[in-house]
Amino acid sequence: MVIDKQTCRTELRIAIQHLTDRCLHSASKWAAEQLVGIEHDPTKNPPSHTRLQRGSSSILRRFRATDETITCTPIAGTSYVSTPVPEEEDEAVDTDLYLLAKSYFNCREYRRVAHVLSDQTGNKALFLKCYALYLAGEKRKEEETIELEGPLGKPDAVNAELVSIERDLAAARNNGSIDSFGLYLYGLVLKAKGNENLARTLLVESVNTYPWNWTTWSELRSLCTTTDTLNGLKLNNHWMKDFFLASTYHELRMHNESLTKYDQLQLTFGSSNYIKAQIAKAEYSLRDFEHVEVIFEELLRTDPYRIDDMDMYSNVLYAKECASGLSYLAHRVFSTDKYRPESCCIIGNYYSLKGLHEKSVMYFQRALKLDKKFLSAWTLMGHEYVEMKNTPAAVDAYRRAVDISPCDYRAWYGLGQAYEMMAMPYYALHYFKKAVFLQPGDSRLWIAMGQCYERNDIGMIDKAIKCYKRATDCNDREAIAIHKLASLHKELGQNDEAAYYYKKDLERMEDEERDGPNIVEALSFLSSYCREHGRFEDAEVYCIRLLDYNGPEKEMAKDLLQEIKFAQSQHFSS
Amino acid sequence: MAGMVKPQSGFVITPHKVSICILLQVYAPSGQLSVPYPFDSISQHNRLGLFLIALTKSCDDILEPTLDDSLKLLKEFGGLLYNWLTDHVTGRLSSISSPDDLFTFFTGLRGILAGLETSVIDDDQINLDPNSNLGLYLRRFLLAFNNLSFEGMCHLLTNIKSYCKEAFSSYGMSHLDDASNDPEAPLEYENMDLENIVLQNFTEELESRKKSTEQVPFHNHSSKALISLVEDITVSPGQKVKQSLRSETQMQSTSVESSDVIFQRTNWQIQGFLSEKAEMIEKLGSSFPMSAFESVLKLLQNLAPELHRVHFLRYLNSLYHNDYPVALENLNRYFDYSAGMEGSDFVPPINYTNNGRYEIALLSLGMTHFYFGHPKLALNVLTEAVRVCQLHSDDTCLAYTLTAICNLLSEVGISNITGIMGASDSHDSTSLSVQQQLFVLLRRSLKRADSLKLKRLVASNQLALAKFDLKHVQRPLLSFGPKASIQLRTNPTDVCKKLRLSSQLIHQFDNESSIVTIDGALSTSWLKNQREPTTTLVFPQESELQSNRDTFYSWLQSSSVPGSVLQLVGSSFLVSATSWELYGSASLARSNALVFATCFADSASSADLALAYGKLIQHLAVYKGYKEAFAALKIAEAKFLSVSKSGILPVKLQLLHERALHRGHLKLAQQICDELGVLASSVTGVDMEIKIEASLRRARTLLAANEFNEAASVAHSLFCKCYKFNMHVENASVLLLLAEIHKRSGNCVLGIPYALASISFCESFNLDILRGAATLTLAELWLLLGPRHAKRALNLIHSAFPIILGQGGLELQSRAHIAEAKCYLSDSSISVSEDPDIVLDSLRQACEGLEALEYHEMAAEAYYLMAIVLDKSGQVEEREEAAARFKQHITALENPIKPEDPLVNLL
């Protein structure tokens, strides 16, 4: 069932009102984005309304045309529950004070908010009071972290207001008077205190009564670290749940499931930039860079001052070695807001592409100063340190990334690489194993592990062969693995296998019209192999091809040809 | 580099230090007469001075006492003045309510320092010399205050407030000892946050441990260490545990929950704390409280994210609790962060290169694999470590790595390492056997350690060499020379010389002043000792006699030698005990084990201690009979209850097996054999010695059941196994067993070569006592061949008599006596009826010993012989008695299970 656009629209409009009223700004921002993202019927609306919805550019349409048939099929079996939009309680007496509090809040004077509302009783007032206190505590926490920084690093300060907020909210909950916003805040507090199970229950309760608060969903997502916990949640089947599921699937690295969800959502929210960016994220994880680039170009056209997720775009540009595009992007985000970790990462990427690794490290460090848990900056900084041959620093950076998110296979891979550089291949293997476990479909990881096994200080050729075999199974684009397999088998004297892989390698190189020493090696092996097995015609073909190349192989080919001729004549005569 | 931490020896102002300064002000008020106001006499004044010096010296400890505790301390020192001083301190502390109060307080403090320029000091006035201990302390304090930012001052203020509040609330709490009075008690159980639950478990764990202390008196040692570990410096062991727990939980809960979490310890303090704990983990092994310490570590990590040593401690903690994945994870994390540069004991700071010291990571990883019983993996890793060490020319680490490899090779049964070790010894490795390689490695690493002046390593290498010499013959290259010139290395004097070399280490440390940092710890312990005599842990009854002073001095002495060195020296005693056991000097073996158990119990790891206890128990069983052995075993079991991989269990099984065999209880014996076999295939690697022991006992059980064929086949395969793993010492006893089997089965002619082979093995390894047993068996074999060989047999027995009677156990002595009697009986040239005492004497002695061992079969034989002799000599009455005893033993042998046997349910 496709979500009814009109109900969505009305629901979101009311929700934005509610959220803004409670100063949940980022939630209301998100809701407003989705509201605008609902595709309008172009015939009904004047063109000015669709200014922000130029989603149907020619390139994107081309991309979409391919899977039009799939997306149009309605999803069977899903029926959405309609959650009644709660009526706003009108507390006329308190409104004046509430208005004052709200303006204080907007000026970020949180403690004044709490003070103004200290005697108020209504749900709205309670929420705003607690929320303001929470934010005041968070602010103080940040300050304290800096004040208390010692030689042993910054201690994790604790939000001092949590206890009193929890007391108030627990009392309200016991009365039964708590509303969904209160539940959200309660969940937030409990999560900060480390009581995750109860926090999850409360957040679920909150989204079931009021599903339009996206921040609640995000908190819930951060508490779902395994599929089991996700499946254990008892959620009403509201359309907001699809957004939640899609983003949680992404977090759990179920990228394909996430993509299908987003495709379904796009039927309703056709021009939502949020969904586009999320699709780009998923595609990026699936390493479909072409598509990601198209999406980001599109996004930048409709939303030129966007900074969220742009660091991923810069990664794509980096991978495609598109320096000018990267510099253009860097300039753009820099002039928009230079104190965002994303902007710093983009600039870091640009310098890295230019080979200025010191500068690049500086910008990554700046990004980390702005947000010390910014995962990709740690990993990228590790890469830079590897380039600068400063392996201890690289190891440190990678390790921090891994400690922030143990699922970051790039950082595990980086750790392995760094240790391999330090001539500790056996130690490195441990890290490669971790990386491969997390991303078993990535041929580069398998190849790196194979190379590690192959090194002569370890010399576990059989394991190396197994790794390379896995690599060929998962779409090894540069075909390093096939060549390695061939030469390893040759080394071990397993000529049949070697011949099989050389032949495969040769076919691939022919397809891609490549040239190089690998071809010579393959040809010379195959020619002698065929001759030994009495397949003189094949051997002759290989030898003749070998004559095109200079070097000792040419002479060898000539000799071989003569031998073959001789053998053939013998063969015929007998 | 981001992971590097600069050592900071800063001085952080804490409320406790503020209260010390208040006392200082009392002690030396500016511009007053010689005995200032509250003091009555100069001695009283001086007492406070001493107290203050002790306090200032102990200010570098990790945990500072709460106000409550320091007031209690004050009470013991202050005597009459106590009330006044307490009121003064609390009054001053609580009067500080704004940053400006702090400011004036510090300005006031400045006044009590005598100016540097005033050379003429008025005798009547008390001024603190700025260069005195107290003066220096005060100056550091003032300097720290001057450097404090306004934020820092605010934090100090809130800290002082909570410091005072804590003290008062704990007063209140002690009156109303009720948890529900806690204002912050959670409203519902669901709301309890994790920390609380963790803490609760932690206290419960402790309390249960405390209870177990009360029940089992022998448990004292470990649990006291536990308690002192938790309470650490805050409370002395004499105090009620409950109180100490409260202060501990308060300490933790305030630092966790309240907003003013302050990380007030210097780097130095924490490193000291952590190394102390690390030592404790290594010593106590699995009896160390894991979860409790884990939560402390978690806290520490929250507070100091850049302190990577915490990961190492976590690694150690999980290592000794056999948590492989967690240990590995933390090991990796530690070295990723610290690059092996932080907190290692043997890192010379000058040798700093940008490369990090990841070879230490490899070394540690190798040892971890070794610990968990993955010898092949460990060898792979250690080989890589050798390579990396060579690459970075890190000789120290290389020496350690080589030693680790040696340990691995000598302790783990690896029959073939070609292909693994190839890289490290490329030139000559492949042709050598494991043992030869081990020997080469040992020599090499000894030389390396010696040249690097790593004393501990030298000592441990010498120990390893001694062990090697003990068990392996190194034949000289010219093995066909004249026999007299061959002096084998297995000679006891040689081995003992090596052992003594290793224990020389302690003297070297004696001369050195290695005490640099423990000055503060000394003062703390002094403070503690003033309050309550700390009991030394093993022998409570002795320690009560000791005065305060004595414990203090013994503490001082023991602290001048590092724990690891003591441990090494201790293990040298243990090895020499083993060597004497093999060479056949029972008394020396026993005394060495005793020395170890008494002198090194504090520093030894619990596994070693269990081993020593096991040796002592076995000694008791062999020389005193089972009753005493089992009594001792019970004590030892209670002591090592909590140690998972304890050495006591095999000892117990061996004792039970021996006893079951003697009593003819074969089913039980078989069952115990199986259990021993299970022990050998444990999760943490195969212990070859237990494995060999288990099959040896299996063969003996079969022999006792007269299953000669099976027994022989087990013994044969055992011989092959021992040969494969180069365990020649064990082979000697296997050969003896084979001879015994042939003897029992009546194939005397076949038995003799085995006995002879065993004797020659014993000769080359100097196994005197075993040689005596083998000679005895040989004599018995000859005797079985017929009376004509009785003379020869008698000569053999007499040649072995000195060693057997001097050092042999009860069983061996009895056997020798019986064999001697038999010789006399079968010798036609001696007429027993004329001189019965020649036989009867030895038979009587045999009977005594066998009764103690409850060895029914042999005892019956002895009584039978006795009855015959008595019959021949016509002593009818005594003959009847002997016959009755004979019958008694025979019936006991036939009905092995008695319902009242208390030891049956020991299993």
Side-chain angles (χ1 to χ4, degrees), chain A residues 147 152 399 403 419 426 430, chain B residues 155 305-306 332 336-337 384:
Chain A
E147 281 170 25
L152 298 174
R399 174 44 87 169
D403 277 350
Y419 278 109
Y426 202 81
H430 172 77
Chain B
H155 282 296
E306 296 294 328
N332 282 327
D336 285 348
Y337 275 135
E384 184 158 299

Side-chain angles (χ1 to χ4, degrees), chain B residues 419-494:
Chain B
I420 303 174
M421 294 287 296
S424 71
D425 279 280
S426 47
H427 49 282
D428 57 355
S429 67
T430 41
S431 62
L432 296 174
S433 75
V434 181
Q435 261 58 38
Q436 281 162 322
Q437 274 193 17
L438 172 59
F439 183 66
V440 171
L441 266 178
L442 269 174
R443 296 294 294 273
R444 221 187 267 178
S445 70
L446 178 64
K447 215 182 277 170
R448 190 176 290 274
D450 205 25
S451 66
L452 291 171
K453 301 213 162 35
L454 301 168
K455 289 175 199 159
R456 269 170 245 196
L457 212 54
V458 171
S460 84
N461 274 327
Q462 260 154 355
L463 211 58
L465 260 179
K467 268 191 223 170
F468 185 84
D469 283 346
L470 199 60
K471 294 221 157 179
H472 304 279
V473 184
Q474 300 146 47
R475 299 209 175 278
L477 286 174
L478 296 167
S479 54
F480 43 80
K483 239 191 170 156
S485 70
I486 299 177
Q487 174 92 38
L488 293 176
R489 287 290 186 92
T490 48
N491 199 336
T493 48
D494 259 24

Side-chain angles (χ1 to χ4, degrees), chain B residues 570-590:
Chain B
S571 57
S572 88
F573 276 94
L574 208 53
V575 175
S576 58
T578 317
S579 73
W580 286 120
E581 201 176 272
L582 287 175
Y583 294 146
S585 170
S587 55
L588 275 175
R590 182 170 161 271

Side-chain angles (χ1 to χ4, degrees), chain A residues 5 16 43 60 71-72 172 226 228 233 334 341 357 464 518 556:
Chain A
K5 286 181 186 171
I16 291 165
T43 50
L60 207 61
T71 47
C72 278
T226 59
D228 289 341
L233 297 179
F334 189 78
H357 300 297
N518 285 358
M556 195 198 88

Side-chain angles (χ1 to χ4, degrees), chain B residues 770-844:
Chain B
L770 198 63
R771 187 175 165 214
T775 320
L776 185 60
T777 307
L778 187 63
E780 287 170 338
L781 284 166
W782 278 117
L783 194 60
L784 280 177
L785 280 177
R788 359 186 219 114
H789 300 290
K791 198 103 202 162
R792 187 199 290 256
L794 197 62
N795 279 338
L796 279 172
I797 291 170
H798 283 162
S799 74
F801 248 165
I803 181 77
I804 290 178
L805 293 185
Q807 309 289 346
L810 289 177
E811 186 188 341
L812 196 59
Q813 285 183 20
S814 313
R815 254 182 67 199
H817 283 305
I818 291 174
E820 193 199 14
K822 273 185 180 167
C823 284
Y824 283 130
L825 286 176
S826 56
D827 194 345
S828 50
S829 65
I830 298 169
S831 159
V832 180
S833 52
E834 283 167 19
D835 186 13
D837 282 346
I838 199 179
V839 185
L840 281 180
D841 260 354
S842 50
L843 280 178
R844 266 189 208 109

